[in-house]
Amino acid sequence: MNSIRQVPSRVKSRRTETILGAEREHFEKQQLSSISKAINSTETPLKEKHARRIILGTHREKGAYTFWSYAVGLPLPSSAIVSWKFCHVLHKIMRDGHRNTLQDCMRHYSSIAETGLLWTNTRDRHGYGQLVCLYSKLLCTKMEFHTKHSEIPASLEASDEVLERTAGTDINNVFQLTVEVFDYMDAELRLAEAVLRQLNMSIAISTLTSGQCKLAPLIQVIQDCSHLYHYTVKLLFKLHACLPADTLQGHRERFHEQFHSLKTFLNKARDMIYFKRLIQIPRLPDSPPNFLRASALAEHVKPMVVIPDEEELEEQEEDEPEPLIDVSEAQPSMASQPQGDIFDQAFGPPSDGFDDRDLQIEHLKREIELLKAELEKIKGEAQRYITQLKSQINSLETELEEQRAQKQRTLVENEQLRMELEAIRRRNTEHESMQTNFVEAEKRSQATELRYNKLKEKHAELVANHAELLRKSADTVKMLSVTQQTQEEIERTKQQLAFQVERVRQESDMKFEEQRFDMDKLRRELEEKNAEIHKVKSLLQTSEKAGEQLNSSMAALKTEKDRLTQSISKKDADLSSLMKEAHLKEYSLQQERDRTIKELGELQGKLKEKLSHEDQLQQKLLDEQFALLQATVTEAENIIQDAVATLDDPLHINSSSSPDYLISRAEATLNSIDKLQVGHSEYVKRMRDAGSLVRALTKFSHLTADTIISGSATAHMAHTDDADRLTEHCKTCATQSLQYLRNLKSKASLKGADPTSIQAAVQKILRIGQDLRPKGIDVGKEELGDVVDKEMAATSAAIEEAVRRIDEMMSQTRKDTTGVQLEVNERILNSCTDLMKAIRLLVLASTDLQKEIVESGRGAASVREFYARNSRWTEGLISASKAVGWGATQMVDSADKVVLHTGKYEELIVCSHEIAASTAQLVAASKVKADRGSKKLGVLQHASRNVNEMAANVVASTKTGQDQIVDKGTMDFSGMSLIKLKKEEMESQVKVLELETMLENERLHLGGLRKKHYEIAGVPLEELAQDNGLRASPHVTAAPSSPKPSKPTLMKKPALAQKPNIPPKSTLR
């Protein structure tokens, strides 16, 4: 029933889709017709009604998709006139079409530009090639301008506020916008001048269609130029208000040229007859505005272009031209002249009273009479045949109605049979559902199914017979349609005969009046009429044959009808016998159904008893599960209360714990809370199995108590504020945990219990523990002493590798380069080699001083214990050593790039500064623990000064080589005018400002990097000095805490590394 109710909505949707599809098809046909009429190869102007339909189409579909789908197939490369009209239509669409049209046109920008390039050097006999080239450039300029400045519409109809908003307050933007408007105006004027020049060359006037075809696009050009002129004046006054007059001398000269060109164009167009009824052309002032006088802006008047009503233009286009000669009064006089005068004027009076032509005329008259009699006879036969066909058609229609009635009765009987079969099928289905548990009933059901299949087969045969009847009925309808087509053909033949008879009569009368002049012509027409009469006879014969075929087909249909009637009566008899069998089967099934219902009632009673017993057992199990849960909750409360009592225990005050252990306990507690939520949700859903919730509660209570106790112990070693906050959060965690456990005790609040507040409190404890954790890099299982030795060894190896690579580069550059380049490369590589040697001596001195510090300060402890006890000083050595090795590698890479001309000299200079800073960091890290009177400390300081000198030599060599290689060139300003020099000066100032802006941005970026470096350093200098027992130097900052040390900041003293945090069981990465 639901599907039957939904049929009307589906039908409506299909009808709606059909209507929309038809409307879309009609719209596309209309657009295609308008485009084909507007863009063709005839040299006539574009009609406004076609263009308006195309424009309305863009507004309907909110774009120009349909237009471009047809426009891409236009033969633009083969016809210059088609290309010219295409550009004209595209110009109108961009001006007056939907705002999305510009985006659709931009997708075909390359095609428009290629069309213009194609016709650049192509000559055609009408002169349209050069015009198409200029027009395509104008359209490309227009699309670029309005795409860049989307606030200004393609029709250029924008207010002064919109223009001000587009120009903005930046004088550079105003300057650039003015140049773009100038280019826009130049493209418009070039097209207009080319069109007028061709008209003058070809001596064409505006009243000819060829001239109007070329002049028609100038209407849009005049509209664009009026707005562009107004924009130019506004922008130039704004520029003169902000910039000196000498700077804008070029702009004023360009404007004066455009002003005179535009004025000449408008004056010529105003004198042409073609434009007088299509557009009202504005007048420009006699002289251009004086931009040096600001008050002249008030005297400026915006030129207004007025277009007449489009309906008037259509009426003028559709008016037919008046005839040059009025012949309405001359015709009656000519018709009133006597026949004899015409005959006498043509042949003269007859010489005697008898002529052979009279005999011919009489003979022709007799032939005409015979033809008329024969024509009347043919009409009678045709009418008689038509009457016979109509009677046959009526009899066929009567038989068709009888067959339709018989078909309707058969359909009703089939529907009744179908309903009865459906009822039997439903009863069988109910019987099968009740007999599923009994084998004997299944056997009987199978027997019933077999008989039902027989009924189904009989029904299928009836359906097939019904379909056969429907096909026969369709064949009858087809034969009727053929008969109707034959009748229509006879009617058309009759009309043709009547029309031809009328024509023969009229022509016979005319021939009779003009018989002396047109006897030969009359004979030919009589022969044609004889041929037509023969054709009519042949058509009548074919119609007779078709009628005979129709009679034979009707006889066959009658025979088929009798056979179908007999088969239907036979099927009715079979169906009645099947119905009797079905009734008997239904009675037996009813008895079996009653017995089955009794047995089913007994089974249902037993099932209810079993279900009630299971419900009692289930309730008992639920009570036991809830009791187990309550016991677990009570135990968990006791555990957490013991942990809370420990917080106030005096014996617990002396206990302490590390932040790492607190973090591990807090993370484990968070995991247990997640499992607790999962177990709680599972228990609330089923209320049967509390095992997962009990296990989660047990683990949660122990971990929460451990976290509370560890947090209190950790607070004993933290600062006062951190300790107070940590203790407060531990108490909050305990309170929320107890509240959650109390909610679990009651069935009413069990479902609403939520451990989210506990989770939030534990997360706060975790964050405080992470804040209390000492900052630094993670060393891993290896000892700090081993790391120091490895890093110093790695630094020495990196320096040795750098020296080797520099030697290879030196030998290679001596082979590949000569002259000044070889000299520069040798100087740079030699200075780099000296710097590497100095760094190697510095690393050796630092290693010796480090050994002296360890031997003098470790006492009875081992070397590893000394490094572990002074972990921050050790980390400083590691960080400084890594920085030195990294700097050496980077310098070699930079030198290689400079020698191969793939790098910058500035990179080499920066690497030198980095190496100086890194070595200073290494010296500072070694100097912290050294004795002031140590000789090795003096050696290290001397090596450090030597490194700084070598780094300065590298910088000097690099700058000297850069000055020798880079050719700055000489600047020749002798051939430049004052305006050109001023313009170049302004451009140079612009570049200087841009470079200064970039420099300022880079300085800000460098400052941000340094700030981030100091933030990563982590620990203040005062705390570092307290840990090491020294006063921190004001110039020494903390080193980075990353395992992979970052580069030291430029031109600053390197920072000391802080004490690392060494968590248990972690590896060094």
Side-chain angles (χ1 to χ4, degrees):
M1 294 298 291
N2 293 333
S3 61
I4 294 174
R5 292 172 183 171
Q6 293 175 0
V7 167
S9 62
R10 291 200 294 268
V11 172
K12 289 180 181 179
S13 63
R14 286 198 296 270
R15 289 178 180 173
T16 304
E17 293 174 359
T18 305
I19 293 171
L20 292 176
E23 289 179 358
R24 179 65 186 177
E25 184 177 4
H26 175 69
F27 168 74
E28 291 178 353
K29 287 182 180 179
Q30 187 181 18
Q31 288 289 301
L32 177 59
S33 175
S34 301
I35 293 171
S36 61
K37 291 178 181 179
I39 306 174
N40 51 42
S41 59
T42 58
E43 196 173 6
T44 55
L46 172 67
K47 289 188 177 181
E48 287 295 326
K49 60 181 180 180
H50 302 321
R52 186 170 65 255
R53 287 174 186 168
I54 298 173
I55 292 170
L56 290 176
T58 62
H59 286 281
R60 176 177 175 180
E61 66 176 0
K62 295 180 176 57
Y65 176 79
T66 302
F67 169 77
W68 278 108
S69 64
Y70 293 125
V72 293
L74 293 174
L76 301 181
S78 61
S79 176
I81 297 177
V82 173
S83 301
W84 175 254
K85 288 189 173 182
F86 165 76
C87 293
H88 185 193
V89 173
L90 185 59
H91 196 173
K92 290 180 74 68
I93 289 175
M94 283 196 289
R95 276 189 56 84
D96 303 329
H98 194 269
R99 61 178 180 271
N100 295 334
T101 304
L102 183 63
Q103 300 176 1
D104 295 337
C105 294
M106 279 301 295
R107 298 188 183 98
H108 301 272
Y109 177 90
S110 59
S111 301
I112 300 172
E114 289 175 1
T115 303
L117 292 175
L118 176 66
W119 290 104
T120 301
N121 300 320
T122 306
R123 300 289 181 182
D124 61 308
R125 60 190 182 90
H126 298 289
Y128 283 93
Q130 191 67 23
L131 297 181
V132 171
C133 175
L134 294 174
Y135 211 164
S136 61
K137 291 181 180 178
L138 169 60
L139 295 177
C140 293
T141 304
K142 187 179 185 69
M143 287 188 288
E144 291 174 354
F145 180 85
H146 293 290
T147 302
K148 184 177 181 181
H149 306 287
S150 58
E151 300 87 356
I152 301 176
S155 60
L156 292 171
E157 295 177 358
S159 60
D160 294 340
E161 291 78 9
V162 174
L163 181 62
E164 288 288 334
R165 189 164 60 252
T166 304
T169 57
D170 189 359
I171 196 63
N172 295 322
N173 295 337
V174 179
F175 192 94
Q176 181 64 28
L177 181 60
T178 307
V179 174
E180 292 173 358
V181 173
F182 277 145
D183 297 338
Y184 199 167
M185 178 72 85
D186 285 338
E188 301 275 0
L189 293 176
R190 280 196 293 269
L191 177 61
E193 290 172 0
V195 172
L196 295 179
R197 191 186 313 114
Q198 283 200 7
L199 290 178
N200 293 334
M201 291 172 59
S202 60
I203 320 177
I205 57 176
S206 61
T207 57
L208 297 178
T209 57
S210 60
Q212 292 177 359
C213 184
K214 295 181 179 179
L215 290 174
L218 295 188
I219 296 175
Q220 283 72 44
V221 174
I222 293 172
Q223 290 177 315
D224 290 347
C225 288
S226 63
H227 294 289
L228 292 175
Y229 170 78
H230 176 67
Y231 294 164
T232 308
V233 173
K234 287 284 186 180
L235 292 173
L236 283 177
F237 271 110
K238 187 172 184 179
L239 284 175
H240 280 80
C242 301
L243 295 176
D246 294 339
T247 304
L248 300 173
Q249 179 65 29
H251 279 48
R252 289 197 299 275
E253 292 176 356
R254 189 173 182 183
F255 174 79
H256 290 165
E257 294 176 0
Q258 291 186 354
F259 175 84
H260 294 299
S261 299
L262 179 60
K263 187 174 182 181
T264 304
F265 163 57
L266 295 180
N267 291 336
K268 288 182 180 179
R270 197 180 296 109
D271 296 335
M272 292 185 177
I273 300 174
Y274 175 72
F275 292 110
K276 289 185 178 180
R277 67 183 181 88
L278 298 176
I279 187 172
Q280 182 178 343
I281 302 174
R283 293 182 179 273
L284 295 183
D286 296 332
S287 60
N290 186 8
F291 299 105
L292 301 178
R293 184 167 56 89
S295 60
L297 179 60
E299 302 172 1
H300 168 67
V301 179
K302 181 179 179 181
M304 300 297 295
V305 177
V306 180
I307 302 294
D309 191 9
E310 294 182 357
E311 296 180 0
E312 298 178 2
L313 295 178
E314 283 187 6
E315 292 176 0
Q316 294 177 6
E317 288 177 359
E318 293 176 358
D319 288 339
E320 294 293 333
E322 296 180 358
L324 299 177
I325 301 174
D326 190 4
V327 296
S328 60
E329 297 179 357
Q331 292 178 356
S333 60
M334 293 175 64
S336 62
Q337 291 180 2
Q339 186 75 16
D341 294 340
I342 298 174
F343 184 82
D344 293 339
Q345 290 176 6
F347 298 96
S351 58
D352 52 7
F354 180 78
D355 194 355
D356 292 336
R357 287 175 291 187
D358 293 335
L359 295 176
Q360 294 178 359
I361 290 170
E362 292 296 331
H363 179 66
L364 291 173
K365 286 181 178 179
R366 286 194 296 271
E367 289 183 356
I368 289 172
E369 292 296 332
L370 292 174
L371 289 173
K372 286 182 178 180
E374 188 174 357
L375 185 60
E376 290 295 333
K377 183 179 179 181
I378 292 172
K379 285 183 179 179
E381 294 178 356
Q383 188 66 32
R384 186 169 58 255
Y385 188 69
I386 288 169
T387 304
Q388 294 176 0
L389 289 177
K390 285 183 177 179
S391 63
Q392 292 179 3
I393 289 169
N394 291 331
S395 63
L396 289 174
E397 288 179 351
T398 304
E399 292 179 359
L400 181 62
E401 288 297 330
E402 292 178 357
Q403 290 181 2
R404 286 177 179 172
Q406 181 66 24
K407 183 185 73 172
Q408 189 66 27
R409 288 194 297 271
T410 307
L411 289 175
V412 172
E413 293 174 358
N414 287 338
E415 184 66 22
Q416 292 176 355
L417 291 174
R418 188 185 64 79
M419 293 174 64
E420 292 177 358
L421 287 175
E422 287 294 333
I424 294 172
R425 188 181 302 169
R426 285 196 297 270
R427 295 190 190 101
N428 290 335
T429 304
E430 293 175 359
H431 176 70
E432 290 173 1
S433 63
M434 289 185 296
Q435 296 295 329
T436 53
N437 297 327
F438 305 98
V439 178
E440 294 178 358
E442 287 181 358
K443 294 180 180 179
R444 296 191 187 98
S445 175
Q446 290 176 0
T448 305
E449 189 69 19
L450 292 174
R451 294 180 181 178
Y452 171 73
N453 289 333
K454 292 181 180 180
L455 289 174
K456 192 173 182 181
E457 291 174 358
K458 295 297 182 181
H459 178 263
E461 291 178 1
L462 290 175
V463 172
N465 293 332
H466 175 61
E468 186 67 25
L469 287 174
L470 290 177
R471 285 196 292 273
K472 296 299 181 180
S473 177
D475 294 338
T476 305
V477 172
K478 288 181 181 178
M479 294 301 297
L480 179 59
S481 63
V482 171
T483 305
Q484 291 176 352
Q485 291 176 2
T486 306
Q487 182 181 359
E488 291 173 359
E489 185 69 26
I490 293 171
E491 289 292 337
R492 286 197 296 273
T493 305
K494 178 182 174 182
Q495 292 176 2
Q496 290 177 1
L497 288 173
F499 176 75
Q500 290 169 1
V501 169
E502 184 64 22
R503 253 176 66 182
V504 169
R505 186 182 62 77
Q506 292 177 0
E507 289 176 357
S508 298
D509 294 338
M510 292 174 63
K511 295 303 178 182
F512 183 76
E513 292 174 358
E514 300 175 358
Q515 56 189 347
R516 295 181 182 179
F517 300 96
D518 302 321
M519 286 190 299
D520 296 336
K521 185 176 181 180
L522 183 60
R523 288 193 186 95
R524 288 193 299 270
E525 290 180 355
L526 286 174
E527 292 174 358
E528 292 176 358
K529 297 307 173 186
N530 290 330
E532 291 177 357
I533 290 170
H534 288 304
K535 290 181 181 178
V536 171
K537 289 180 180 180
S538 63
L539 288 174
L540 288 173
Q541 292 175 0
T542 55
S543 299
E544 290 176 357
K545 293 179 181 179
E548 293 175 357
Q549 293 176 359
L550 183 61
N551 292 330
S552 62
S553 63
M554 287 302 299
L557 285 175
K558 289 179 180 178
T559 306
E560 185 66 23
K561 177 184 175 183
D562 296 336
R563 188 180 65 80
L564 290 175
T565 304
Q566 293 176 1
S567 64
I568 288 173
S569 61
K570 184 178 178 182
K571 297 300 179 183
D572 290 338
D574 295 339
L575 185 60
S576 61
S577 62
L578 290 174
M579 289 295 295
K580 291 179 181 179
E581 293 179 1
H583 286 307
L584 293 174
K585 185 62 179 176
E586 182 181 359
Y587 178 73
S588 62
L589 289 175
Q590 183 65 30
Q591 292 179 350
E592 190 68 29
R593 177 186 176 186
D594 295 337
R595 192 180 66 179
T596 304
I597 289 173
K598 292 179 182 179
E599 294 177 356
L600 186 61
E602 296 176 357
L603 292 175
Q604 286 179 351
K606 294 179 180 179
L607 181 61
K608 287 180 180 179
E609 293 177 358
K610 185 177 180 181
L611 289 176
S612 62
H613 182 64
E614 288 182 356
D615 291 339
Q616 293 175 0
L617 293 176
Q618 185 68 28
Q619 185 62 34
K620 184 178 180 181
L621 178 62
L622 291 176
D623 295 339
E624 292 177 355
Q625 291 283 339
F626 188 72
L628 177 62
L629 178 62
Q630 296 305 310
T632 305
V633 170
T634 304
E635 185 65 25
E637 284 182 340
N638 295 332
I639 293 172
I640 295 176
Q641 288 174 357
D642 291 342
V644 174
T646 306
L647 297 180
D648 300 329
D649 190 356
L651 298 177
H652 180 66
I653 296 175
N654 296 327
S655 63
S656 62
S657 177
S658 65
D660 292 330
Y661 182 74
L662 176 61
I663 290 171
S664 64
R665 294 297 89 193
E667 290 176 349
T669 305
L670 290 175
N671 294 331
S672 68
I673 292 174
D674 294 336
K675 294 180 180 179
L676 181 63
Q677 288 177 334
V678 174
H680 179 263
S681 61
E682 291 179 356
Y683 180 70
V684 168
K685 287 180 182 178
R686 295 183 294 180
M687 298 295 290
R688 292 182 180 179
D689 185 12
S692 59
L693 180 58
V694 168
R695 289 191 295 271
L697 274 174
T698 304
K699 186 176 181 181
F700 162 75
S701 60
H702 287 88
L703 290 175
T704 304
D706 198 3
T707 301
I708 293 171
I709 296 172
S710 299
S712 176
T714 305
H716 296 158
M717 301 190 64
H719 293 294
T720 305
D721 294 338
D722 294 336
D724 293 341
R725 288 193 295 114
L726 184 57
T727 304
E728 183 66 26
H729 290 319
C730 290
K731 292 180 179 180
T732 302
C733 179
T735 304
Q736 295 297 332
S737 300
L738 293 174
Q739 180 62 36
Y740 175 72
L741 293 174
R742 282 193 293 271
N743 292 336
L744 293 179
K745 284 185 176 181
S746 173
K747 289 185 178 180
S749 60
L750 176 62
K751 294 184 178 180
D754 187 9
T756 306
S757 59
I758 307 173
Q759 193 172 16
V762 175
Q763 288 176 350
K764 292 179 181 179
I765 295 172
L766 176 62
R767 283 196 293 271
I768 294 176
Q770 291 174 349
D771 294 338
L772 293 176
R773 192 176 185 179
K775 299 178 181 178
I777 64 170
D778 297 332
V779 176
K781 294 182 179 180
E782 298 182 10
E783 295 294 336
L784 287 174
D786 296 337
V787 176
V788 172
D789 296 337
K790 288 183 179 180
E791 289 299 331
M792 297 299 290
T795 302
S796 300
I799 294 172
E800 293 292 340
E801 178 65 19
V803 172
R804 186 188 62 78
R805 288 184 59 187
I806 291 174
D807 292 338
E808 292 179 355
M809 286 188 285
M810 179 71 75
S811 60
Q812 186 66 30
T813 190
R814 287 172 179 170
K815 294 179 182 178
D816 298 339
T817 58
T818 56
V820 177
Q821 186 65 48
L822 177 59
E823 180 183 354
V824 171
N825 292 343
E826 286 183 346
R827 187 185 302 119
I828 292 174
L829 293 177
N830 287 331
S831 61
C832 291
T833 303
D834 295 339
L835 178 59
M836 292 297 111
K837 293 179 180 179
I839 293 172
R840 182 167 55 186
L841 294 177
L842 176 69
V843 172
L844 294 176
S846 175
T847 304
D848 294 339
L849 179 61
Q850 173 190 344
K851 293 179 180 179
E852 180 182 345
I853 292 170
V854 172
E855 291 298 329
S856 62
R858 68 186 180 89
S862 63
V863 175
R864 292 185 177 182
E865 291 175 353
F866 176 81
Y867 280 127
R869 187 171 63 248
N870 300 277
S871 59
R872 294 198 176 183
W873 173 75
T874 306
E875 183 58 34
L877 289 176
I878 294 172
S879 177
S881 177
K882 287 183 178 180
V884 171
W886 177 85
T889 305
Q890 288 296 115
M891 167 161 277
V892 174
D893 294 338
S894 301
D896 191 11
K897 292 180 181 178
V898 169
V899 170
L900 296 176
H901 305 289
T902 58
K904 298 180 180 179
Y905 290 95
E906 288 78 5
E907 295 180 1
L908 198 57
I909 295 173
V910 171
C911 287
S912 301
H913 293 315
E914 289 291 335
I915 288 177
S918 301
T919 54
Q921 180 183 355
L922 182 60
V923 172
S926 301
K927 187 177 179 182
V928 170
K929 290 286 185 180
D931 187 7
R932 294 182 179 272
S934 175
K935 293 182 180 180
K936 293 184 178 179
L937 177 60
V939 173
L940 179 62
Q941 292 176 344
H942 181 268
S944 175
R945 288 191 293 271
N946 190 21
V947 168
N948 291 333
E949 292 176 0
M950 293 301 103
N953 290 336
V954 172
V955 174
S957 302
T958 304
K959 290 184 178 180
T960 304
Q962 185 177 9
D963 293 337
Q964 290 180 354
I965 296 300
V966 178
D967 185 12
K968 297 182 179 180
T970 58
M971 293 178 285
D972 185 13
F973 305 109
S974 60
M976 301 176 67
S977 63
L978 178 61
I979 300 301
K980 187 68 174 177
L981 286 171
K982 194 68 177 178
K983 185 176 180 181
E984 292 290 336
E985 178 184 351
M986 187 171 66
E987 292 177 354
S988 297
Q989 291 177 356
V990 170
K991 291 181 180 179
V992 169
L993 292 175
E994 291 177 352
L995 293 175
E996 289 178 351
T997 304
M998 292 174 62
L999 178 60
E1000 185 66 24
N1001 293 333
E1002 288 299 325
R1003 284 175 175 168
L1004 292 175
H1005 184 245
L1006 179 60
L1009 291 174
R1010 288 175 175 172
K1011 183 178 180 181
K1012 188 63 178 177
H1013 173 73
Y1014 297 147
E1015 290 177 358
I1016 294 175
V1019 181
L1021 291 178
E1022 291 79 7
E1023 187 175 343
L1024 179 64
Q1026 292 175 5
D1027 291 339
N1028 291 332
L1030 296 172
R1031 292 188 62 183
S1033 173
H1035 300 289
V1036 180
T1037 60
S1041 61
S1042 171
K1044 197 173 187 178
S1046 60
K1047 298 183 293 183
T1049 55
L1050 296 177
M1051 302 304 294
K1052 297 288 182 179
K1053 259 190 171 183
L1056 288 175
Q1058 61 184 9
K1059 182 178 180 179
N1061 180 24
I1062 308 176
K1065 299 183 180 180
S1066 61
T1067 57
L1068 180 62
R1069 294 184 179 179

